[in-house]
Amino acid sequence: MDETSLKQKLIDNWKKPLNDKTATKYVYDLFALHNRIYKNKNIENFDFLYDKEKIMKGAEYKNDIDKYSYLTFRNNLNTVVVWLRVNGDDEEADKYVELRDSFNDKYVADNATGKFLNENQKNKMLSFDKWDDIIKTLNEKKDRNSSEDTLLLVMTIHRAYPLRNDLGDMEIITQAKYDNMTETEKDDKNRIIKNQKGMKFILTKYKTAGTYHRKEIPITDIKVKTFLTEWFKTHKKNKYLIENKTGGPLGNSALAVLLNNTGSKYNGGNNIGSTSMRKSYLTNSFADTKKEMNAMSNIMCHSVGMAMSVYVKEDGGVI
């Protein structure tokens, strides 16, 4: 069973429409699970999903010794659930659902109480100062390799626009060409508009696209615009923002690996990824505000959600 046949089987048998990016990720995760268990990616059929002892070990352990975080364990269990359902066996899939969902509950509880950020995790949190130092170091390095170039690009963009891991398949296009596309064509991939009058991200293939649909994000930050202008000049032949050696899109999975491997060299051995940058951005920007809102909501005897939706007005007005 190769990637193409597995992807098609998933799309054909899933109850909801799946975009190509999501389907590719589920196939990649299935191959990775099989490789951890059997040390190869040659999947002949789904029989291996029914060896619960091996499946649990493959989902929980990176290797014979090291365990994954409970969040990765949860994601690995979800891979098992998905492919068992694709195989038409909801009963077997349900055996893993309760454990998987218990980790969702734990994640919500840990974030609500602040327990998720223990001292070790707080020390690993990328501060804005450290973030800027890494960008400065990379900018000043004259012999950057392609991986360091990519790290610099992504960290520069995320410093102002903390996107999900969606840059790895982003097509470069002009506004004029984009305007001539049909609505269906506009939704077929993520793009960045390269235009003299302005740049923008157009996101259609992302995790929550089913809820928020096409997102157009104008690029107005001066540092990001300046960097991208130079990037386009030095990558004139690129069809995609980040390309592999054959000229195709690097891909978001490969980009995640690159960021972790290269970023850790500049961040004291700690990985850098889109999720860690998103958490870092919001924590550095709003952590103090969240504390103040929690304290005031306690005094006002309502939730933070109630305060933000009813009492706080964007125009400064009051009730």
Side-chain angles (χ1 to χ4, degrees):
M1 302 174 76
D2 60 13
E3 179 180 337
T4 301
S5 63
L6 282 168
K7 189 189 299 185
Q8 193 58 53
K9 186 174 181 63
L10 174 60
I11 292 172
D12 291 344
N13 289 278
W14 202 242
K15 295 178 181 179
K16 297 180 181 179
L18 280 178
N19 61 50
D20 184 75
K21 178 181 175 181
T22 300
T24 299
K25 179 66 167 61
Y26 280 133
V27 171
Y28 175 88
D29 289 343
L30 182 67
F31 278 129
L33 177 65
H34 190 278
N35 189 53
R36 285 195 300 276
I37 297 172
Y38 298 104
K39 311 304 180 188
N40 69 72
K41 297 181 180 180
N42 301 319
I43 300 176
E44 297 182 0
N45 52 55
F46 292 131
D47 289 352
F48 79 99
L49 292 174
Y50 292 85
D51 190 329
K52 189 170 184 179
E53 183 178 348
K54 288 183 178 179
I55 285 295
M56 288 298 291
K57 184 175 181 180
E60 187 174 10
Y61 284 83
K62 301 178 184 179
N63 48 51
D64 291 336
I65 300 174
D66 301 315
K67 286 186 177 183
Y68 284 114
S69 70
Y70 77 82
L71 293 175
T72 303
F73 186 14
R74 173 201 64 182
N75 294 341
N76 291 337
L77 289 175
N78 188 60
T79 298
V80 178
V81 171
V82 166
W83 286 102
L84 283 170
R85 294 205 191 287
V86 167
N87 201 40
D89 198 338
D90 288 340
E91 183 178 351
E92 188 70 18
D94 288 342
K95 295 178 182 179
Y96 296 93
V97 168
E98 184 176 354
L99 178 58
R100 180 201 65 183
D101 290 351
S102 71
F103 290 138
N104 289 333
D105 297 338
K106 176 176 171 57
Y107 179 66
V108 171
D110 285 354
N111 275 281
T113 61
K115 183 180 178 182
F116 188 74
L117 280 178
N118 59 35
E119 286 304 314
N120 184 45
Q121 290 168 319
K122 287 179 182 178
N123 292 336
K124 291 181 179 180
M125 180 68 69
L126 191 65
S127 68
F128 277 161
D129 286 343
K130 179 62 176 176
W131 197 331
D132 292 337
D133 284 344
I134 294 174
I135 290 176
K136 183 173 184 291
T137 298
L138 288 168
N139 260 318
E140 294 176 349
K141 187 175 181 181
K142 296 180 180 179
D143 58 344
R144 289 195 307 267
N145 59 39
S146 61
S147 294
E148 291 168 330
D149 277 341
T150 300
L151 176 65
L152 176 57
L153 167 71
V154 175
M155 292 194 74
T156 300
I157 290 174
H158 277 71
R159 184 63 175 81
Y161 303 96
L163 308 173
R164 294 182 184 275
N165 182 27
D166 293 314
L167 298 176
D169 59 1
M170 186 166 282
E171 184 182 53
I172 302 170
I173 193 171
T174 62
Q175 185 69 56
K177 186 175 180 180
Y178 179 77
D179 289 342
N180 286 327
M181 289 180 168
T182 65
E183 292 302 304
T184 300
E185 290 172 334
K186 288 178 179 179
D187 284 337
D188 68 1
K189 64 184 64 173
N190 294 325
R191 293 183 170 90
I192 182 169
I193 299 290
K194 179 182 69 171
N195 197 50
Q196 290 182 345
K197 294 183 179 180
M199 302 177 189
K200 69 176 74 169
F201 298 113
I202 299 180
L203 303 175
T204 61
K205 303 296 183 182
Y206 61 99
K207 185 176 181 180
T208 50
T211 301
Y212 299 107
H213 311 294
R214 187 192 306 161
K215 299 284 288 185
E216 296 192 8
I217 305 171
I219 302 172
T220 57
D221 182 87
I222 297 301
K223 290 182 179 179
V224 175
K225 287 177 66 177
T226 301
F227 185 92
L228 284 172
T229 299
E230 187 61 29
W231 181 270
F232 293 140
K233 287 180 181 178
T234 56
H235 296 77
K236 290 181 180 179
K237 295 182 179 180
N238 275 32
K239 182 180 178 181
Y240 296 93
L241 184 64
I242 306 171
E243 293 190 344
N244 58 29
K245 293 180 180 180
T246 62
L250 178 63
N252 293 320
S253 295
L255 177 59
V257 173
L258 183 152
L259 292 177
N260 283 332
N261 291 343
T262 306
S264 62
K265 299 174 184 177
Y266 292 88
N267 192 34
N270 298 318
N271 291 345
I272 293 176
S274 60
T275 299
S276 64
M277 285 189 283
R278 284 159 66 85
K279 287 183 178 180
S280 171
Y281 185 95
L282 293 177
T283 300
N284 282 291
S285 299
F286 303 115
D288 290 340
T289 302
K290 182 178 180 181
K291 290 179 183 177
E292 293 171 8
M293 288 295 296
N294 279 324
M296 187 53 62
S297 293
N298 182 54
I299 293 171
M300 296 181 71
C301 301
H302 61 208
S303 67
V304 171
M306 175 65 73
M308 294 301 294
S309 62
V310 175
Y311 289 88
V312 178
K313 300 300 177 182
E314 291 185 16
D315 61 0
V318 295
I319 290 179

